[in-house]
Amino acid sequence: MTHPLSIQLHLPAWVPGFLARLPSALDSPEERMRVAISLAEANVANGSGGPFGALVVSTESGRVLAVGVNRVEPACCSSAHAEIIALSLAQQRLGSASLANTPLGPLELVTSCEPCAMCLGAIPWSGVGSVLCGATKADAESVGFDEGERSEHWIQHLQQRGIMVHTGVLRQAAAEVLQRYARGGGAIY
């Protein structure tokens, strides 16, 4: 049990083995998205959280800096989304609250689903230079997830801040993880 004045979020026990099997570099958007989708699938298969996965990767080298999976239910924490965990672990690893101007060059957030309202709010302050998304907000909402309010111009808003966005990468495969999770009776929140 944690102290009542602190919070601790942990990645599931299966994650170190998952990381050990990753290649040293993920060169293409599709390779990066396959990892995010695999994180989401493994999280569901292991019963360790919801059907969302994310990673922070060096845009130039393809080196993975951090990963995250949805831990909302097991952590009893509504902010324990995969993107928030991946960004937080990357910041902790670099010892900086900002992921801008790192020794690794620009960093990219790769997420198995477009960001919800909360995660979208965290992206500009995280310091990442780009975001790569799989499933869409509509895909998540079609199975019941509450993604919150988001401007229809969210991509343009991020681009105006210098953050490039690519969405729909391996969308069908990412959306299928959400659908299987819902069909399997997973908690929808």
Side-chain angles (χ1 to χ4, degrees), residues 92-184:
Q92 186 178 57
R93 185 168 181 187
L94 291 175
S96 174
S98 175
L99 299 175
N101 304 315
T102 73
L104 300 172
L107 299 179
E108 179 172 64
L109 173 65
V110 181
T111 175
S112 64
C113 187
E114 290 177 351
C116 69
M118 177 184 65
C119 295
L120 178 60
I123 289 169
W125 293 286
S126 71
V128 295
S130 60
V131 181
L132 189 68
C133 308
T136 65
K137 178 182 189 238
D139 294 328
E141 289 176 339
S142 74
V143 300
F145 282 102
D146 180 358
E147 296 297 283
E149 297 300 317
R150 183 178 79 188
S151 164
E152 64 183 56
H153 305 291
W154 69 278
I155 292 174
Q156 293 88 338
H157 293 163
L158 288 177
Q159 289 174 338
Q160 288 169 354
R161 296 181 74 122
I163 303 168
M164 301 312 302
V165 178
H166 304 280
T167 190
V169 178
L170 302 179
R171 177 183 176 187
Q172 188 58 43
E176 286 173 7
V177 177
L178 300 170
Q179 294 161 5
R180 281 194 305 271
Y181 176 80
R183 282 193 309 268

Side-chain angles (χ1 to χ4, degrees), residues 12 14-15 18 21 35-51 69 177:
W14 56 264
V15 172
F18 181 95
R21 292 186 299 276
V35 171
I37 293 168
S38 294
L39 283 162
E41 289 172 328
N43 205 37
V44 172
N46 286 284
S48 51
V69 292
V177 177

